[in-house]
């Protein structure tokens, strides 16, 4: 009955009432991923974007693969409508990586790094994705910023050296 009411309210775009129906239900049924995503969608449409983003980030961390795909679709929907939620780009990129969409993950991590260039962890994560895709020169460039700014550690410097060698070998064999 809760699901039916929430979907009916969603269909007539009564987001506030849909939230009123879903929140109490999910307090006792927190494992209901479908209703949880419906609530997050209602948040995003009901001008509670921050609640939607926070909830979606938590959802990505614990969702099964099947549920993760639906969460990614919602995340993409939110990003297409709303700007300025770069932290969602990061979480969505990581979710896409879990799903095996390395190209999509790399794009979202690049988007995130445009607004948060000092995030070393995201930069290293992007470099690893690019390296895994055989894009050694691009991975090197992503990490090179760390050296220029003096924020790279020994492990990152070693990875850069490996990437530089791989990129040069690829260039020599072309």
């Amino acid at each position: 009955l809760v699901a039916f009411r929430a979907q009916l309210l969603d269909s007539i775009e009564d987001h506030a009432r849909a939230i009123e129906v879903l929140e109490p239900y999910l307090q006792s049924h927190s494992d209901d991923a479908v209703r949880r995503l419906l609530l997050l969608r209602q948040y995003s449409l009901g001008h509670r974007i921050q609640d939607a983003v926070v909830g979606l980030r938590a959802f990505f961390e614990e969702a099964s693969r099947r549920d993760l795909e639906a969460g990614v679709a919602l995340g993409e929907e939110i990003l297409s409508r709303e700007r300025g939620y770069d932290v969602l780009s990061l979480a969505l990129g990581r979710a896409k990586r879990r799903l095996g969409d390395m190209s999509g993950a790399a794009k979202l991590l690049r988007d995130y790094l445009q607004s948060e260039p000092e995030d070393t962890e995201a930069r290293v994560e992007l470099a690893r994705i690019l390296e895994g895709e055989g894009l050694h020169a691009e991975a090197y460039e992503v990490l090179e910023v760390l050296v220029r700014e003096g924020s790279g550690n020994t492990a990152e410097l070693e990875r850069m050296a490996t990437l530089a060698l791989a990129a040069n070998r690829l260039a020599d064999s072309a």
Side-chain angles (χ1 to χ4, degrees):
L1 186 60
V2 167
F4 176 74
R5 285 185 64 206
Q7 288 173 337
L8 178 63
L9 292 166
D10 178 51
S11 70
I12 62 170
E13 298 183 12
D14 190 344
H15 309 297
R17 287 190 45 215
I19 291 168
E20 288 174 11
V21 168
L22 289 164
E23 283 180 333
Y25 170 80
L26 286 168
Q27 286 179 355
S28 59
H29 299 87
S30 60
D31 60 336
D32 187 338
V34 172
R35 301 308 166 270
R36 191 169 165 196
L37 287 173
L38 182 57
L39 175 63
L40 296 175
R41 182 172 184 277
Q42 297 309 307
Y43 284 159
S44 75
L45 295 171
H47 307 292
R48 290 178 58 181
I49 305 299
Q50 189 62 36
D51 290 333
V53 169
V54 168
L56 201 50
R57 288 176 59 206
F59 182 84
F60 286 152
E61 291 178 15
E62 58 197 44
S64 69
R65 183 175 178 85
R66 180 178 53 90
D67 294 333
L68 189 59
E69 290 173 1
V72 164
L74 177 58
E76 289 173 332
E77 177 186 323
I78 292 170
L79 281 180
S80 73
R81 286 192 323 261
E82 304 292 334
R83 299 287 173 231
Y85 291 94
D86 302 310
V87 71
L88 181 56
S89 292
L90 176 63
L92 189 54
R94 288 176 172 163
K96 282 188 172 242
R97 187 191 72 227
R98 277 185 54 202
L99 290 171
D101 179 0
M102 298 307 167
S103 174
K107 181 198 176 310
L108 286 159
L109 287 170
R110 278 189 185 104
D111 291 349
Y112 171 74
L113 286 169
Q114 290 295 318
S115 66
E116 299 293 333
E118 71 284 348
D119 188 332
T120 301
E121 186 179 330
R123 191 167 288 287
V124 170
E125 192 170 346
L126 174 57
R128 286 186 177 146
I129 290 170
L130 294 170
E131 180 182 13
E133 295 295 296
L135 302 170
H136 302 285
E138 287 181 49
Y140 177 85
E141 290 171 14
V142 167
L143 292 179
E144 185 181 32
V145 172
L146 299 176
V147 174
R148 273 195 314 245
E149 295 176 357
S151 57
N153 63 33
T154 304
E156 291 153 359
L157 294 173
E158 289 173 0
R159 181 169 291 283
M160 282 185 63
T162 302
L163 290 169
L165 290 172
N168 286 337
R169 272 191 254 128
L170 290 174
D172 291 343
S173 67

